[in-house]
Amino acid sequence: MLFLSLLSLFYFRLIDNYYSSGNVLRFDDFGFNSGGIFNITVSSNKKATFTLLLANQTEYSSLRVYPYLYRSFCKNKTQALALLNKTSPKNTYDFEWNDQISSAGIYTPVLINCLNNNSLVYYRIELRFRNPSSFLDFRDEGISANDVTMSIIYCVFSFVWFINILYVRSLSINICYMFAILPPIKALSLALAAATYESLSCSD
């Protein structure tokens, strides 16, 4: 159960349903290395003209500070809110965008529906991200090594603790026996977490 829970936390793909009456939907960011690829699929129950952005940190910061930029874009679509952007054909239910990242960074997907006049719209969004050598966000790529290191430290700590209980009983109290099982459990959980990250780095 722990292993499956960890898999669901760090999966590179997101498929979700949204109901929104606004013009803008924002999704969780992802850390891309140069050469990373992405696929974004949008479906809705109403015809619309969608614009998808993949905004880097600088671009997204501007959009957060100046939200009126979205309204300005809907009035004048010649201005680019982000370097990576794609607009769907007019009046469509479905839209898909595939592309490659040329510059490493943290990117935030943003969906703009300029035709939505405060009416409730159903969206089905599928986001697929991957880096050249891993399905993980680049910010998570070193976590497995850290988990393995901490697992080894807890194993050593467990060994020392058991030796102390077995051979230096004068320094032990009953509570030591009860807590002696905790370091091995922690070591095992860290090893499982490291294995989860490693499996996610090479498969979806």
Side-chain angles (χ1 to χ4, degrees):
M1 180 63 70
L2 174 63
F3 186 77
L4 292 176
S5 299
L6 289 169
L7 276 175
S8 65
L9 284 174
F10 306 111
Y11 211 49
F12 88 103
R13 181 174 60 186
L14 167 70
I15 302 175
D16 212 343
N17 301 316
Y18 298 86
Y19 288 90
S20 176
S21 58
N23 298 102
V24 180
L25 282 175
R26 303 171 187 84
F27 308 101
D28 290 340
D29 57 29
F30 189 85
F32 283 100
N33 289 316
S34 180
I37 58 175
F38 63 89
N39 174 275
I40 303 175
T41 304
V42 179
S43 302
S44 74
N45 64 337
K46 295 182 180 180
K47 287 185 176 181
T49 302
F50 303 109
T51 296
L52 283 166
L53 311 175
L54 208 59
N56 61 32
Q57 287 179 293
T58 302
E59 294 164 340
Y60 187 62
S61 295
S62 297
L63 294 173
R64 291 185 63 185
V65 174
Y66 306 110
Y68 68 83
L69 291 174
Y70 294 116
R71 296 191 298 271
S72 301
F73 172 78
C74 287
K75 294 177 182 177
N76 178 17
K77 293 187 178 180
T78 57
Q79 61 176 340
L81 297 179
L83 183 62
L84 284 171
N85 66 86
K86 182 86 170 181
T87 299
S88 72
K90 292 183 178 179
N91 298 322
T92 184
Y93 290 104
D94 305 290
F95 180 46
E96 185 174 7
W97 182 24
N98 302 281
D99 211 334
Q100 187 172 28
I101 301 295
S102 59
S103 179
I106 299 170
Y107 291 83
T108 303
V110 180
L111 172 67
I112 304 173
N113 179 2
C114 292
L115 297 182
N116 186 18
N117 297 316
N118 297 320
S119 61
L120 190 63
V121 179
Y122 163 78
Y123 300 94
R124 185 179 187 276
I125 310 294
E126 183 171 352
L127 306 175
R128 291 174 178 265
F129 304 134
R130 71 160 299 169
N131 282 310
S133 59
S134 171
F135 287 99
L136 292 175
D137 183 317
F138 73 67
R139 293 169 292 182
D140 296 331
E141 290 178 354
I143 290 180
S144 60
N146 292 336
D147 286 342
V148 168
T149 301
M150 291 303 300
S151 179
I152 293 172
I153 291 173
Y154 272 100
C155 285
V156 172
F157 186 57
S158 302
F159 177 76
V160 172
W161 198 327
F162 282 119
I163 291 297
N164 178 70
I165 291 174
L166 291 173
Y167 296 103
V168 195
R169 290 175 178 256
S170 60
L171 298 179
S172 301
I173 56 177
N174 289 337
I175 198 170
C176 287
Y177 308 137
M178 297 170 59
F179 283 110
I181 194 64
L182 295 181
I185 292 175
K186 184 64 176 178
L188 178 61
S189 67
L190 287 167
L192 287 175
T196 300
Y197 273 105
E198 284 302 309
S199 67
L200 288 176
S201 70
C202 57
S203 67
D204 61 354

